[in-house]
Structures are given as structure tokens and as C-alpha cells.
Amino acid sequence: MTIENINDSIETSGFQSPMPPTDTVSLATPRTAADFSFPMEPYDIQLDFMKRLFETIENGRFAIFESPTGTGKSLSIICGALTWLMHDSKRPTASTADTVKALTNEPDWVVAFEKRRAAEEDELVDENEKAEAKYKQWVAKTRRSEAMERKKACGRARSLFGGASSVKTTTTTNSATPTGTKRSVDAITEDTSDVDELLVDAYYSDTEEAKHADTDGPVKYSEAVRRLLERRAADKPYYDSDDSEAEDGSGAAANEVPEEPMITKIFYASRTHSQLQQFVHEVKRTLFASRDRIKCVTLGSRTQLCTNDRVRKESGSSVYALNEKCTEMQQQGSKKKKQQRCPFLPTQRTPMFDFKDSIGRKIMDIEELASEGKRLSVCAYYGSRASVSAAHVVALPYNMLLSKATRESMGVSLKGNIVIVDEAHNLVDTVLAIHSVSLDWTTVQALLDMMQMYFAKYWRRLKGSNTVYIRQAIALLKALDKFMKQCDAHVAVMPVNEFLQKAHADHINVYKIDKYLRASKLGRKLNMFSEARSKDEAAASKRERVDKQRSPMANPATAVATFESFMECIGSPNRLGARLVVNASGGGDGKAVELKYLLLDPSESFGEICKEARAVVLAGGTMKPANDAVEQLLPKQRSVSGEEQQQQQPPQYSMLDPANAQIFAWSHVVAASHICAQVVDRGPTGLPLKFALQDQADAAKLREAGNALAALCNVVPGGVVVFFPSYALLRKMHGEWAAAGITGRISKRKPVFAEATSRLEPVEKGEEDALAKYTNQVKRAGSTGAVLLSVVGGKLSEGINFSDDLGRAVVMVGVPYPSLASPELVERLEYYESGGAGCVASKKSGGEFRMGVRARELYEAMCMRSVNQSIGRAIRHRRDYAAIVFLDCRYAEPRIASKLPAWIAGGGNSVVASKPFGPALANIASFFKRDFSGDN
């Protein structure tokens, strides 16, 4: 294992996490597998991994853990983190006497201060215990109260059933009303209610709220009623509010809902739900599940957890439609006859208590949570959210952890808790992507048209400041529409402030409009308005042709949500680490314009996580190179001196203590003799193997790579997975090989299958089909293997297990550097080169980007992370073996070779110096002639 302090290699920052109080006893690191409750005999690296993880959490640090796939990383994370959690729950607190004794030589005021702090700590513990007891008492009381209500309701139902004749009489009496009159009244009521449903509620700005704070109009409401109305207006689920009525008739909130105590927990985040599922299954295998009865809950979207099949069916595949329908069905007392409250959000709390108890008794993955919700007739989506407070482990996808708005909406608080991000090799890119938003011209035009139609019809009936803010939103949309209409076909990158000035929108308060759209839920009203217009036009189309250009949008809520996200981003125009990219193409009716808010600095968003959490751990099988990721993610403290302000110099960043950040990297569990890593610099005919962009047009070099692959297939048993830098090069090489007869030669021994050469190709021609055919061919009895052509960064380069014969060799053709034709990439490199100071040094010459040392480091790191992820598809367990072949001489360069994984680049597995094809092929052939069965 290698350990790196970040300051040994780069100048960057750690973060000051919440450290244990001085009046608590530090936890000793467990030493054995039994101490960690590890379910089997661990590898040495697993035991060391758990120790380092325990110490990282205890010391409140930021750390990166690289443990290759197949080394039991997930189980090591679980046992290491949960062992700390169990020890922390029993952590002894130093007595006041011990505290004073330890401070014998300190001044009196220090001793007095520590005495008070120790007393406050004891008081806090007592308060937590009281809060927990209070909550449990409230749950028991609520269960008893609701049981009595159900009993009374059953009695009333039996009484009502026995008095059916009286009901009939009443109905007959009511029917005496003149039919025409009744129909007329119903029609008027229905029309009025339909319009009221389309109107946004009265809205007041911050200054106006103060004016209305002391008066409720003609009716004076109590504070309790006002809170109730606010919560109902916000569409919060019933169990999320604290508006229970008093049962003692005193009018006081005697039965106010107490807040459920929050225990220290581990937040485990990964990229996909399948990875989260695998993690939960691993937790089930441990003693922490059976002996310690830990509570583990998985958070997911409505798509995974919605229990209402009817709503799912009506929403189709639209995530926005599902969210909107769910929110609508939470409203109580709707005036629309057809709109009913979701039956899986019962009015009583007992069913939700039962759901939470089920999670406490049994650890369930996300599919099991959905099934449990159906069994108990409870919403699993809101049930899982309500279970977070009492959970020891919360598994959640990346987007829920990395977005502050999502964390807040899900009720996720990271304060004092442990955050573990698995499969974190692309974390920087993920943070940037989550906080970058695109808005196209078509959406702007359609939303402007819809909002104008809505406002023209209802502006006289809107209350409060609705008219003001809708007018401002329309003005902003008009400004964007005009700006995009005038854009020539080109790509431009500019600061957000400059964009707002060019769009003549710098006088508009974007922040307030964004706040208004979210608070008023105008998108939902526009959805309903669009549906109403669609019905009207459908009826009108039977009588006459409708103007298609004025047809309503299919889903205005989706457009409004995109518009809101865009405004939230440009609402902070002075942010240094952001740019606005304008991409215009085509002309006339085919003109397309896209505005993209591009975040360049992830430290602000990720820094909030670091400041709240006790410890942050990034784990993965291929984290190397990691230094640039640490520098981009860790928060920086900016300090500007008076002299710098006067001279308008760029602000200087003072780094936090770098000793808080560490990188741990372990070698593979396989023996060094099970890996053959070889760089091939020349092909079979002696042509140099280098596939930079300018070399990819040389047909002779393309054929040389094919001939090299054909020869490799003669000495490699089983499957061979070939990775290309791009889909374009895969198409070009595959076509050239087929024309030259090379593919035919390879296929005589190993059939060739190719990944879809476009992400837009149908599934039957895509990755899943190629992978299935390749797998079946390799596993077929008597098979000599197969060849799979795929792309670095494609679906087959991550998350696919090519163990044993499925990946006896991984061949890298070319070096997958990102394209510098991307303006977003160039802007990111420039920003990184400048040190994130908001200024760009002289990195452009004649309008062309010239890469500096720092930018070159980031550029190479982005490339090699993709390479390492691809070659990590092979060597999946201790007895596995494979050859890693690099068909490009650049992999032998020290700058590139140093960025390869530790299990290849160190410990006897170092990449040998590049060789011509003949000696390299002989070396690989000799490797596969060995008997690997008795090595482990």
C-alpha cells in the first residue's frame, strides 16, 4: 500500500471537519478481523483498508481510498465504517473531574471554561435521551388515538349500514330540487372551481410579506391555524407537518409532533441503483445486520419507489409527469371531482409507523422497499424519507448527495455524519454536470408563448404580486428569445454578467423570479392550463381546423423546471468559477441555439459537504490519478489584501491544512506474475504505433493495428476486449480492417463483435446485444474465444465484469485524450491553469489555446482516469490473470505511465519499456503458456 499526503505532491487544501470534543475519549483502532466483525478471513489489504478507514473517520479527515476491483472493497467499507459507528455509540465521555485533572497547569479561566463545556455536553446527552423518549411516547399515544378513531369509524359504518332506509329517504327528498336548476348551479360551481384550480395562489415578495404579517385580511387566524395553512399550501405530506390538534380541548398544541432524534449515520453514495443494491446485499451478510440490528434505508426517486400503479401508468415514462401527479394527489380537499388524495398517503400516521418499523426489523433494498410499501399500502417514496432520521446507514445515488437543493428536499442532513462516495473516479465531472444547465431556443419560445397565453386570460384574477412577477418572467423570456434570435452560427463563451448585459437582462432580478416560480408552482398551473387547452382544441377540431402554431406545449412543467434551474444558476452572476456558453448552428427555420451554464469550480458545491460532514471518504477501484481531483474538490479560503484590492490583482487563496487529506492506494490481490502489461511501439511490419488525431487518417497505420490484433488473437486464449478512444476511430478502423480482410482472418479463430458506433443506435444493434453475443460465444463449449470492440467512456468501459475467459486480454488502441474542439473543455482547462483565481494568464496565442503545465496535468489526468477504468474490467479476483496490451508508443512516456493504477505501475507490475511487435508478442505468448492454477 502507498500513502500520500497531498502536500507531498501538490499544493492544495484539506478541510476542517467537526472533530470529536475534547471531553470525549478517543477510540482505539481495532486490530483483527474479528474486531471488525468481518465475515470471513480477509486479505491483508482488506484488514489494512478497514483500519485506515476507521482512523480516517475518527480523526475527521478527507481521504481517497483506491482498492482495485475484486479486492472486496465494498465489504471492507461496510465493516470498517460500521465498526466505528458501533464504537462511537458506546464512546465513553470523560468526567468533569478528569477534565479538570488534565488541565492542572492551565489558567483558572481555561479550567472554568472546560468545566462548563463538560457540563453542557452532559446536558446535551440528557436532552437527546429526553427527546428520544418524548418521540417514542408520542408515537405510542398516536397509535392508541388512531386505533380508537378506527374503532369509532367502524361503529359509525355499521350504524350507517343499518339505517339504509333513512339514507334513501334523504336522497329522495334532495331529488325534489328542479332538475334544470340543479344542473345550472352545478355547472357554475364546476366552472368556477376549474378556474380556481388554474390560478396561482396569492404571492408576496419579502418586503410585502412584512406588510401582511400582522393582518390576515377580514379574518384573523391563530398562529396554529396559520402554520396549518402554510403547510397545506406547500403541499407537504401530512406526517411532515407539526399541526396536530390538541386533544385536551385547551387550544394549546398539547399533541404537537416532536422531531424525531437524528442519530449519527453513514451516507453511502454510488452512481447507480444496481451498485446501491449490491451494497445493501453486502450489509445483509454481516453481523451488523443480524447481531447489531442496524437500520439501513435506501433513498430513490419516485420512479423506483412510487407505490401507486395507476399514477405510474398515467405518467408513462416522464419523470416530471410522475412528480407533478404525485404532488397534485397530496392536496387535500381538491375542488376537482376526479382528483383524489393518493390512497398510499393515508390520513393516519400508524401505517407509516408500521413501514418504518419494517425497515427497522429487516434491511431491504430499493425493490424490497417498493414491495413492502405495496404490502402495507403505504408510499415507499415518502416512507423511506421518513426513515432517514433513525437509520444508521443511508444509501443514496450521487445526484441526491451532491445537490444541496435535493438534500434539503429529501430531509438529508450531513452535519456530523460520515460521507462515503464509492466509484468516485468521475466525481469531479459529476459535480460539474449536476450544476450545469442547458436551455434551448425551442423551450424559450414555447414557454414564452404559453406564459403569455396564461397571463392574457387570467391576469385580472391574479392576487398579490403574481402579475408583477409573471410580467418580469415574460420580460426575461423575451430578452432571451431576442438574444438567441440574433445569434449568428458560432460558439461563444463569456462570463454570466457579460451575457446578461448582452441580452439586455441585467436590470431584471433573476433571483427573485426564480424564487417566485418555485414558490408559486406556476409550472404546475401551466400544465393544467395546457391540458385544458388541449381538450378545448380537441373539441374544436371536430368543428374546424385549429392553428397548429398556437397549440399548447406537451409538458410546460418540464420547461418551467429547466427555466428555473437555468435562472438559479445565472442568479449568481458574480461567481468566478462559471461561464455561459452560447452555441448557435444552422439558419432560417433550421436554426438552433443553446445556452449552457457551465460550472468550472466544483469546490463550492462539494465544499458544503466537507464542511458539514465529520469525515469524507472517496473510494474506487481506479482513483489514480487523484491529485487534481483533490485540488478541485476541496474548499479554498480566499483572502484579499487591501493592496490587492487597490491594484485589482487576482485574489490569493490560502490553503487549509493539507495534512488532513490523504490518499491510500493498495496493490491488487493477484500476484504480480498474473499480470502481463506490455507497451507495443511498432507493428508487425515495423510501422510506428501512434494514433494521435493526425495519424488516424493514415490507412496503413490503421491496418497495422489490425494485423497486430490478429497476431495477438493467435496467442491469447479466451476473450479479447479492445478499447478505442472514440466511436469515430472504431468505425474507421473496423471498416478498414474489413476491407483489407483482417476482420475475416481474426474471425476464423475469434468472432468479432462491435459496440454500437453511436449512442443513438437502436438497442438491437447496441451494447447489450454485442455484449450478450460476445459472452455467449466465449462461454460456448469448445470456444476459442471472441473479440469485442468497444469505446473508452462507453457503456462497456464501466461496470462490466470481464473476469476469467471473458477478458484474458485488454487491448488499448490509442490514447483517449478529450477533444480540444470542445469550448467547455478549453474553458475548464484555462480556469484550472489560472488556479481558479478568476483570471486567465497568457494561455492564448493568436486566439488559440496554449496549454500550460497545470492544464496539461489535468488534461492527462482526465484521459488516464478513463484508461484505468477500462483496463480495470479485467483481473476481477485473486485467481484471475490477464494481459494488458497498449498499442500506442505514448503509454511508455513517464508522464503517462506514472498515471497508471498502482496494481500495474508498482510492486513488480511496472509496465515494461516499449518493444517492437515481435519481442512483445513472444513475451505475451510466454505469459499464457504458464500454469496459473497453483499460484494462489
Side-chain angles (χ1 to χ4, degrees):
M1 182 197 71
T2 60
I3 305 175
E4 301 177 25
N5 278 325
I6 303 303
N7 58 338
D8 290 341
S9 50
I10 59 173
E11 292 183 1
T12 186
S13 64
F15 72 95
Q16 300 293 351
S17 60
M19 298 296 291
T22 57
D23 56 341
T24 59
V25 177
S26 297
L27 299 177
T29 304
R31 311 313 302 174
T32 67
D35 294 337
F36 284 103
S37 300
F38 203 76
M40 61 192 73
E41 184 65 29
Y43 300 135
D44 290 342
I45 67 171
Q46 286 179 309
L47 183 58
D48 194 49
F49 186 110
M50 291 185 287
K51 291 178 181 178
R52 299 294 184 179
L53 180 58
F54 189 100
E55 292 168 354
T56 297
I57 297 173
E58 174 64 12
N59 296 327
R61 290 185 171 181
F62 175 97
I64 292 179
F65 283 60
E66 182 185 68
S67 183
T69 304
T71 57
K73 168 171 56 70
S74 297
L75 199 56
S76 300
I77 289 174
I78 291 167
C79 292
L82 285 180
T83 297
W84 180 89
L85 198 64
M86 295 298 103
H87 286 206
D88 180 66
S89 65
K90 303 171 184 176
R91 184 193 299 266
T93 303
S95 65
T96 305
D98 292 337
T99 302
V100 174
K101 184 177 179 180
L103 300 170
T104 304
N105 297 325
E106 298 293 336
D108 294 341
W109 68 269
V110 173
V111 175
F113 174 78
E114 290 299 334
K115 278 184 179 181
R116 283 197 306 272
R117 216 158 75 84
E120 289 172 0
E121 185 71 21
D122 293 339
E123 185 178 347
L124 182 60
V125 172
D126 292 340
E127 288 297 324
N128 290 338
E129 292 176 353
K130 289 178 182 178
E132 184 175 0
K134 180 181 179 181
Y135 180 78
K136 289 180 178 179
Q137 290 172 2
W138 173 80
V139 170
K141 184 177 180 181
T142 302
R143 283 184 180 275
R144 291 194 300 269
S145 174
E146 293 182 349
M148 292 177 63
E149 289 178 10
R150 291 194 298 272
K151 188 175 181 180
K152 291 177 182 178
C154 289
R156 288 194 297 269
R158 284 193 296 269
S159 174
L160 183 61
F161 181 78
S165 58
S166 62
V167 174
K168 185 175 181 179
T169 303
T170 305
T171 304
T172 304
T173 304
N174 290 339
S175 65
T177 306
T179 305
T181 305
K182 185 175 188 302
R183 185 183 299 113
S184 176
V185 173
D186 287 348
I188 293 173
T189 304
E190 186 172 351
D191 291 344
T192 304
S193 66
D194 286 346
V195 172
D196 289 342
E197 285 287 322
L198 294 173
L199 296 177
V200 290
D201 297 330
Y203 180 84
Y204 300 100
S205 65
D206 296 339
T207 54
E208 290 171 321
E209 283 175 2
K211 299 178 183 177
H212 291 266
D214 299 328
T215 176
D216 301 300
V219 181
K220 303 294 183 180
Y221 296 116
S222 67
E223 183 63 27
V225 173
R226 187 179 290 123
R227 288 203 315 271
L228 172 61
L229 293 175
E230 288 172 355
R231 281 165 174 73
R232 291 292 179 252
D235 293 328
K236 290 189 176 180
Y238 67 95
Y239 51 83
D240 225 15
S241 61
D242 56 359
D243 48 19
S244 298
E245 297 179 2
E247 294 185 357
D248 57 3
S250 64
N255 194 35
E256 186 174 351
V257 179
E259 184 177 353
E260 185 173 9
M262 185 80 70
I263 64 173
T264 304
K265 60 184 85 279
I266 296 164
F267 286 97
Y268 173 88
S270 195
R271 290 187 305 113
T272 65
H273 280 288
S274 60
Q275 291 168 341
L276 295 176
Q277 237 174 344
Q278 181 182 355
F279 173 80
V280 172
H281 290 167
E282 289 287 336
V283 174
K284 291 180 180 180
R285 294 174 51 199
T286 66
L287 287 173
F288 300 102
S290 57
R291 179 194 64 198
D292 299 312
R293 312 297 298 175
I294 68 157
K295 297 177 182 179
C296 175
V297 63
T298 303
L299 295 180
S301 65
R302 289 180 175 90
T303 306
Q304 286 87 30
L305 290 172
C306 178
T307 317
N308 194 324
D309 291 332
R310 183 174 66 84
V311 172
R312 295 172 69 94
K313 184 177 180 180
E314 291 178 359
S315 304
S317 59
S318 172
V319 176
Y320 285 103
L322 179 61
N323 291 341
E324 289 298 314
K325 189 67 176 176
C326 173
T327 307
E328 287 175 13
M329 294 190 71
Q330 292 175 35
Q331 299 178 21
Q332 299 187 31
S334 172
K335 297 176 182 178
K336 280 194 172 184
K337 296 179 181 179
K338 294 183 179 179
Q339 184 174 321
Q340 299 175 350
R341 181 181 177 84
C342 179
F344 295 96
L345 279 177
T347 55
Q348 290 194 335
R349 290 180 168 87
T350 298
M352 191 59 68
F353 293 155
D354 293 339
F355 183 84
K356 293 169 66 176
D357 289 345
S358 296
I359 294 178
R361 289 191 298 268
K362 178 186 176 183
I363 295 176
M364 291 178 271
D365 61 30
I366 199 161
E367 293 179 356
E368 292 169 332
L369 285 173
S371 299
E372 186 69 7
K374 289 185 177 181
R375 186 182 73 84
L376 296 174
S377 296
V378 171
C379 177
Y381 173 73
Y382 283 109
S384 59
R385 288 171 56 169
S387 304
V388 169
S389 296
H392 299 93
V393 179
V394 178
L396 70 170
Y398 273 4
N399 61 318
M400 289 187 180
L401 174 71
L402 299 176
S403 170
K404 182 179 180 180
T406 304
R407 290 199 305 271
E408 291 176 348
S409 68
M410 298 293 288
V412 170
S413 172
L414 305 179
K415 188 173 182 179
N417 294 313
I418 299 93
V419 173
I420 299 176
V421 182
D422 202 359
E423 300 299 329
H425 54 277
N426 283 333
L427 184 61
V428 173
D429 295 335
T430 304
V431 174
L432 296 179
I434 286 176
H435 295 87
S436 297
V437 182
S438 296
L439 183 67
D440 62 81
W441 192 19
T442 303
T443 300
V444 170
Q445 289 178 313
L447 186 56
L448 173 60
D449 189 51
M450 177 59 61
M451 201 173 290
Q452 284 178 324
M453 286 189 287
Y454 175 86
F455 186 72
K457 186 165 185 175
Y458 298 119
W459 70 272
R460 289 183 179 87
R461 302 193 57 179
L462 297 175
K463 299 177 182 179
S465 300
N466 284 303
T467 55
V468 175
Y469 284 104
I470 293 179
R471 284 181 191 274
Q472 290 183 9
I474 291 174
L476 179 59
L477 285 168
K478 284 183 176 179
L480 295 178
D481 178 48
K482 185 177 180 180
F483 174 83
M484 298 167 95
K485 184 178 182 179
Q486 295 173 347
C487 284
D488 298 326
H490 73 294
V491 177
V493 183
M494 62 191 77
V496 177
N497 261 329
E498 181 182 338
F499 161 73
L500 291 174
Q501 291 171 5
K502 288 186 175 181
H504 302 290
D506 49 326
H507 66 285
I508 299 175
N509 193 325
V510 177
Y511 171 79
K512 281 197 170 185
I513 298 176
D514 175 46
K515 182 181 178 182
Y516 165 75
L517 290 180
R518 296 177 188 276
S520 66
K521 297 181 176 60
L522 180 62
R524 190 182 311 159
K525 302 300 181 181
L526 290 179
N527 249 7
M528 298 165 65
F529 176 67
S530 177
E531 291 174 2
R533 282 184 56 86
S534 296
K535 292 177 182 178
D536 292 342
E537 290 188 357
S541 64
K542 297 178 181 180
R543 301 187 300 271
E544 58 184 352
R545 186 175 299 275
V546 179
D547 182 5
K548 297 299 181 183
Q549 292 183 352
R550 295 291 292 177
S551 296
M553 297 175 65
N555 193 349
T558 305
V560 172
T562 304
F563 187 48
E564 288 173 356
S565 299
F566 184 76
M567 286 193 300
E568 182 182 15
C569 292
I570 66 174
S572 301
N574 296 319
R575 180 182 290 174
L576 295 177
R579 298 289 186 273
L580 203 292
V581 181
V582 182
N583 192 342
S585 60
D589 295 337
K591 182 177 180 179
V593 184
E594 180 187 64
L595 305 176
K596 183 175 183 180
Y597 176 86
L598 183 67
L599 182 67
L600 303 174
D601 186 358
S603 68
E604 181 179 339
S605 300
F606 194 77
E608 293 174 347
I609 295 175
C610 293
K611 290 174 184 176
E612 289 185 31
R614 176 194 177 96
V616 176
V617 174
L618 309 185
T622 51
M623 296 299 296
K624 196 175 180 182
N627 289 346
D628 69 283
V630 173
E631 184 173 0
Q632 292 180 82
L633 289 172
L634 289 183
K636 301 170 183 176
Q637 288 184 328
R638 187 177 64 196
S639 60
V640 184
S641 66
E643 181 181 352
E644 290 166 350
Q645 288 179 338
Q646 293 175 4
Q647 298 180 3
Q648 296 184 343
Q649 294 179 354
Q652 299 298 315
Y653 288 91
S654 61
M655 303 301 180
L656 301 179
D657 183 7
N660 274 343
Q662 289 185 305
I663 301 176
F664 302 95
W666 287 268
S667 297
H668 216 298
V669 291
V670 300
S673 59
H674 281 223
I675 302 171
C676 177
Q678 181 69 64
V679 176
V680 183
D681 60 1
R682 293 183 178 275
T685 65
L687 281 177
L689 294 179
K690 181 181 179 182
F691 298 100
L693 187 61
Q694 62 270 22
D695 300 305
Q696 295 177 13
D698 190 337
K701 286 189 176 181
L702 302 186
R703 291 193 296 270
E704 190 79 347
N707 289 325
L709 179 62
L712 283 171
C713 288
N714 290 329
V715 301
V716 176
V720 177
V721 183
V722 185
F723 286 104
F724 296 86
S726 66
Y727 289 103
L729 185 59
L730 189 158
R731 277 195 302 268
K732 188 178 292 185
M733 279 202 176
H734 197 192
E736 188 67 36
W737 295 351
I742 298 173
T743 303
R745 295 206 324 265
I746 296 175
S747 298
K748 289 180 180 179
R749 182 172 180 83
K750 298 179 188 293
V752 179
F753 303 96
E755 178 182 352
T757 54
S758 169
R759 295 185 185 275
L760 302 179
E761 286 191 23
V763 172
E764 60 267 23
K765 295 183 180 179
E767 301 85 359
E768 295 84 353
D769 188 58
L771 178 61
K773 289 181 178 179
Y774 170 78
T775 302
N776 292 335
Q777 174 63 30
V778 172
K779 293 186 175 181
R780 185 174 56 83
S783 172
T784 56
V787 175
L788 180 62
L789 308 181
S790 51
V791 175
V792 174
K795 290 186 177 179
L796 301 184
S797 66
E798 295 188 30
I800 305 297
N801 186 346
F802 292 117
S803 63
D804 301 320
D805 281 345
L806 285 177
R808 284 301 176 213
V810 172
V811 181
M812 298 297 304
V813 179
V815 183
Y817 284 113
S819 173
L820 288 174
S822 166
E824 290 95 338
L825 175 61
V826 171
E827 200 67 29
R828 181 177 170 186
L829 293 174
E830 287 185 350
Y831 183 80
Y832 187 75
E833 181 70 33
S834 71
C839 68
V840 179
S842 300
K843 299 297 179 291
K844 290 187 177 181
S845 177
E848 183 177 347
F849 174 62
R850 189 176 61 196
M851 206 174 297
V853 175
R854 283 171 52 81
R856 170 64 64 182
E857 188 68 24
L858 174 60
Y859 188 59
E860 292 176 351
M862 294 169 67
C863 166
M864 292 309 295
R865 267 193 288 270
S866 299
V867 171
N868 295 343
Q869 192 64 22
S870 297
I871 63 180
R873 300 307 92 209
I875 310 292
R876 309 295 285 186
H877 58 84
R878 189 166 194 168
R879 295 183 179 276
D880 208 353
Y881 59 94
I884 313 295
V885 183
F886 301 94
L887 294 184
D888 196 304
C889 61
R890 290 174 290 176
Y891 282 103
E893 295 175 3
R895 290 178 61 90
I896 300 298
S898 65
K899 293 178 174 65
L900 288 168
W903 55 273
I904 285 183
N909 296 328
S910 57
V911 179
V912 299
S914 58
K915 292 183 177 181
F917 185 75
L921 184 65
N923 189 37
I924 295 170
S926 175
F927 171 77
F928 282 109
K929 288 179 181 179
R930 291 191 49 217
D931 179 13
F932 296 97
S933 59
D935 283 6
N936 289 305

